[in-house]
Amino acid sequence: MGLFNFFTQEIAIDLGTANTLIIHNDEVVVNEPSIVALDRNNPKNVLAVGKRALMMHEKTHESIRTIRPLKDGVIADFNAAELMLREMIKMVYPKKPIFSPSWRMMICIPSSITEVEKRAVRDSAEQAGAKEVYLLHEPMAAALGIGIDVEEPVGNMIIDIGGGTTGITVIALAGIVCDQSIRIAGDEFTADIMEALRRYHSLLIGERTAEQIKIQIGAAMKDLENPPDDLPVNGRDLVTGIPKQIMVSYQEIAEALDKSIFKIEEAILKALETTPPELASDIYRRGLYLTGGGALLRGLDKRLAQKIKLPVHIADDPLKSVVRGTGIALKHYDRYPFVMR
C-alpha cells in the first residue's frame, strides 16, 4: 500500500453554485467562479474556466457559450460540470507531474440533496479522475470549518447563505438534527438588484454588474454605522436604448433585497420551531453562526439578531469555512461518522 499511497493525493472540493474551491495540503489552491466557457461547434473543447470564463460571461458571440453547471446547489449540466471539475483539478498542479496522481476527493453537497443529484456529483468526480469519492453535507463542513466541535452533545445552528441555496441546520452529536433549505441566496439577491434597477431607473444591467453592486454596496439594513459610498452603475436605458450611467445608494439595494432576506428570516424561525427544546436552550446560549458568501452582506447579522433576538456570529472567512471544514474531514475521513462513502 505504501507505493499506492505515494501516488494518492487528497483534495477537498467545495463545489458551489457561485464559486468552486479546492484545498490541497491544507491550503486553498483553487478559488474560482463555477463557470465554464465552451466552444459551441465542439462542446468538449473548454475555452476557459473560472475567472477567465466569468470575464466572457454575457459578452459572447454565437460560437462561444458560457455555462454555470450548478443551479441551486446541485448539478444542472452534467457534461459542463465534469469538464469544469477536470480543468480545476488541473490547476492544483500547474506543472504537469510525470505520474498523474490518483485522487482521493471529498466533495460537499447540500443537505437537501436527492439521491439522483448525489449520484451526479459522484459520477462527475469519477469522470474527472477520482479514485475514491467521499461526500459530506455542507452544514457539517461549515461547522468544522468555523471550529465547532461537532461531536459533543451540544446543539449549534449553522446558517449557510451560498449562491444557490440557504441552508439552516441544527447540528449535535456529529449529525444533522433538523434542516431547512430554501432556494433563496446570492443568485436571488443578484436577480432582485437587476429587477429593482429595471423597475425604478428603467436601466437594464447584466448579471455581472448586479453581482458587483451586491459586493460593493449590498446591505441588509437601511441604516448602517459606516455606510458605503454611492456607486455609479452603467447599463442600457430601456426607454431610449442608449447606454447610460446612474448613481445607486446602498439604501436602494437594501430595499431591493428586503423581501428575500425576509424569506430567509422566516426559514430560520421555522427551523427554530422544529428544534428539540434541549437543543434550543443550547442555541440560546451559543447563538447562530452565519457562513457562506451571503454572510458578507452588510448589516445582515444585526438584522437577524434584531428579528430573532439571539446573538449572531459571522465566521472568520465565511467564503472559505465550508472548504476548510471539508479539508479537516478529509484528513480524518475514517474517524467521522458523517462522511458518506
Side-chain angles (χ1 to χ4, degrees):
M1 277 306 279
L3 187 67
F4 179 67
N5 281 351
F6 179 68
F7 292 123
T8 303
Q9 294 284 348
E10 298 189 333
I11 49 176
I13 304 175
D14 173 12
L15 198 58
T17 313
N19 296 298
T20 295
L21 293 94
I22 300 182
I23 273 192
H24 179 56
N25 294 340
D26 296 342
E27 53 190 79
V28 179
V29 284
V30 175
N31 182 356
E32 297 277 336
S34 304
I35 184 166
V36 59
L38 303 177
D39 189 342
R40 272 230 162 124
N41 311 320
N42 176 13
K44 284 272 178 270
N45 180 15
V46 179
L47 300 172
V49 69
K51 296 184 185 79
R52 288 205 24 240
L54 188 67
M55 286 162 131
M56 299 178 182
H57 187 46
E58 296 185 325
K59 295 187 177 184
T60 56
H61 47 79
E62 71 264 13
S63 60
I64 297 178
R65 75 188 178 127
T66 53
I67 305 172
R68 290 181 61 183
L70 286 102
K71 181 123 185 61
D72 298 333
V74 295
I75 292 175
D77 185 326
F78 186 79
N79 294 330
E82 179 204 315
L83 291 167
M84 181 183 83
L85 247 183
R86 186 170 291 178
E87 292 300 313
M88 290 199 176
I89 291 166
K90 277 183 196 159
M91 293 179 189
V92 177
Y93 282 126
K95 300 189 287 292
K96 209 164 190 293
I98 308 162
F99 301 105
S100 59
S102 63
W103 297 108
R104 177 183 296 138
M105 291 184 197
M106 170 94 71
I107 302 179
C108 31
I109 52 174
S111 47
S112 58
I113 196 168
T114 62
E115 282 300 318
V116 178
E117 292 162 341
K118 211 186 277 187
R119 194 56 203 275
V121 174
R122 198 176 278 274
D123 289 354
S124 291
E126 280 165 1
Q127 292 290 324
K131 278 281 186 297
E132 302 168 58
V133 182
Y134 297 104
L135 300 177
L136 177 67
H137 283 313
E138 271 164 17
M140 276 300 184
L144 283 168
I146 294 169
I148 295 169
D149 181 5
V150 291
E151 293 178 286
E152 58 182 8
V154 175
N156 287 294
M157 186 176 233
I158 313 284
I159 301 165
D160 180 12
I161 307 177
T165 51
T166 293
I168 300 146
T169 319
V170 176
I171 287 172
L173 291 168
I176 291 171
V177 180
C178 50
D179 173 50
Q180 279 282 333
S181 177
I182 52 170
R183 305 211 154 177
I184 288 172
D187 288 350
E188 191 68 28
F189 295 159
T190 306
D192 289 341
I193 291 171
M194 288 164 74
E195 175 60 28
L197 288 184
R198 211 192 77 204
R199 182 170 293 165
Y200 301 118
H201 297 280
S202 58
L203 185 77
L204 206 60
I205 58 169
E207 214 176 285
R208 283 174 50 197
T209 306
E211 180 88 19
Q212 276 324 108
I213 296 171
K214 181 176 74 182
I215 291 166
Q216 280 167 358
I217 59 168
M221 296 168 78
K222 285 187 181 162
D223 41 344
L224 295 176
E225 280 165 15
N226 42 358
D229 298 335
D230 289 5
L231 188 72
V233 176
N234 309 334
R236 190 178 90 213
D237 190 329
L238 276 167
V239 185
T240 60
I242 301 168
K244 74 166 180 179
Q245 183 179 66
I246 56 163
M247 297 302 283
V248 176
S249 69
Y250 81 92
Q251 278 107 339
E252 285 179 66
I253 303 303
E255 174 93 0
L257 300 181
D258 185 62
K259 274 204 183 91
S260 294
I261 294 170
F262 179 71
K263 285 180 187 156
I264 290 175
E265 291 173 344
E266 293 281 88
I268 295 171
L269 291 169
K270 205 166 154 195
L272 286 166
E273 276 170 22
T274 58
T275 309
E278 286 295 334
L279 295 177
S281 71
D282 291 336
I283 292 168
Y284 179 79
R285 284 202 312 276
R286 294 189 153 212
L288 317 175
Y289 293 94
L290 272 186
T291 169
L296 296 167
L297 208 57
R298 294 166 188 79
L300 182 62
D301 52 336
K302 278 209 181 62
R303 176 167 167 170
L304 292 178
Q306 279 172 14
K307 172 90 176 196
I308 298 161
K309 301 181 179 55
L310 292 175
V312 176
H313 317 286
I314 298 182
D316 289 342
D317 188 351
L319 282 165
K320 296 198 180 120
S321 55
V322 171
V323 75
R324 285 228 171 83
T326 315
I328 295 165
L330 181 59
K331 270 219 211 68
H332 313 286
Y333 69 95
D334 39 7
R335 191 184 113 205
Y336 288 129
F338 46 79
V339 170
M340 287 166 278
R341 297 278 181 275

